[in-house]
Amino acid sequence: TQPGSVANWTEQQIAQKLNAITNSFAKYFMQGDSSTDPKQFDGLNKKIVSSQVFSTPIDVSVLDDAKALQAEVAINKVIAAIHPKRPNVVITTYEGKAILSALNSYRHRGTDVIDVNGQAYDQYMGMPIIAVTDDCFAESDKQIGTPVVFALFDEMDGVRVSIPMDGEIVKILPPKFENGKVVERGACEMACAPLFANPFAVAKCYLGES
């Protein structure tokens, strides 16, 4: 009797399942799966080389102009470790996203948000910040500080991600309704198979108190 309510409920269910799928993918991308064949990709921590990991936390305990400049210098050293080009995405927790956004504001690096394929992202130095849930990172990472991953997603030099032809990692096909009834079932298409082409295309650091 209320077809609008049915459609709205369906959209909520789709959004919840989509959120679960993307966070699960992010978790396995970061941590891997201990039962995975050792010859297969088994998480970022097992593929990234030690020289790309900066384990001394960058001090962001108190932010002012001087501290923000010190943090930027330290982060630039992390970015410089990526070869052969600068990274084009930042992956961190929601807390890390807030810290990087604050640092970006101190240094006045462009606008607050950046548009990527019609989607608005908070950004740090022109790189979109992708925030994932805390459990996407291993406990050993979080004990050091707030983990931050700079990555180059590139077909030749970075992390290769197989995506549908229309360029969407996740494609939602919502169901169609007529007179309150489903006349065409919906679907969720997702093709995300990370394959490292170059471990030097990723660098990781931590934010906290040095």
Side-chain angles (χ1 to χ4, degrees):
T1 59
Q2 293 180 309
S5 298
V6 174
N8 184 57
W9 178 85
T10 303
E11 290 176 1
Q12 291 181 24
Q13 296 297 306
I14 291 173
Q16 290 175 4
K17 287 179 171 57
L18 175 58
N19 187 57
I21 290 170
T22 52
N23 279 314
S24 294
F25 170 71
K27 181 175 181 179
Y28 285 116
F29 176 73
M30 293 294 175
Q31 297 187 42
D33 180 354
S34 59
S35 64
T36 301
D37 185 323
K39 295 182 180 179
Q40 302 297 321
F41 178 85
D42 191 19
L44 181 70
N45 288 341
K46 297 180 181 65
K47 282 292 185 180
I48 187 172
V49 295
S50 59
S51 63
Q52 304 295 105
V53 180
F54 295 75
S55 56
T56 300
I58 295 171
D59 189 1
V60 291
S61 53
V62 178
L63 283 181
D64 54 26
D65 287 342
K67 185 68 70 175
L69 178 59
Q70 292 175 7
E72 181 178 324
V73 170
I75 291 175
N76 280 341
K77 292 180 180 179
V78 179
I79 293 174
I82 292 180
H83 303 286
K85 297 176 259 185
R86 65 168 287 162
N88 54 21
V89 70
V90 188
I91 307 169
T92 184
T93 64
Y94 285 92
E95 180 180 1
K97 173 183 174 182
I99 295 172
L100 290 174
S101 296
L103 284 171
N104 192 71
S105 297
Y106 269 102
R107 300 298 296 150
H108 305 292
R109 295 281 186 178
T111 58
D112 292 333
V113 297
I114 188 171
D115 183 273
V116 180
N117 294 330
Q119 177 70 43
Y121 293 91
D122 287 335
Q123 54 99 7
Y124 176 74
M125 294 176 63
M127 292 172 281
I129 304 172
I130 306 300
V132 296
T133 54
D134 287 6
D135 63 350
C136 292
F137 292 94
E139 288 300 322
S140 56
D141 269 345
K142 292 180 287 186
Q143 289 174 2
I144 299 173
T146 301
V148 178
V149 174
F150 293 92
L152 169 65
F153 280 79
D154 183 279
E155 278 300 312
M156 295 303 295
D157 304 307
V159 183
R160 296 184 180 183
V161 181
S162 173
I163 59 177
M165 291 300 292
D166 57 10
E168 297 180 34
I169 291 179
V170 179
K171 182 177 181 180
I172 296 296
L173 302 174
K176 293 183 179 179
F177 297 88
E178 287 183 7
N179 299 321
K181 296 182 179 180
V182 177
V183 295
E184 186 175 322
R185 297 181 64 182
C188 175
E189 298 178 355
M190 184 173 184
C192 299
L195 175 65
F196 259 70
N198 175 12
F200 292 96
V202 178
K204 182 167 65 174
C205 66
Y206 302 87
L207 303 176
E209 298 182 13
S210 61

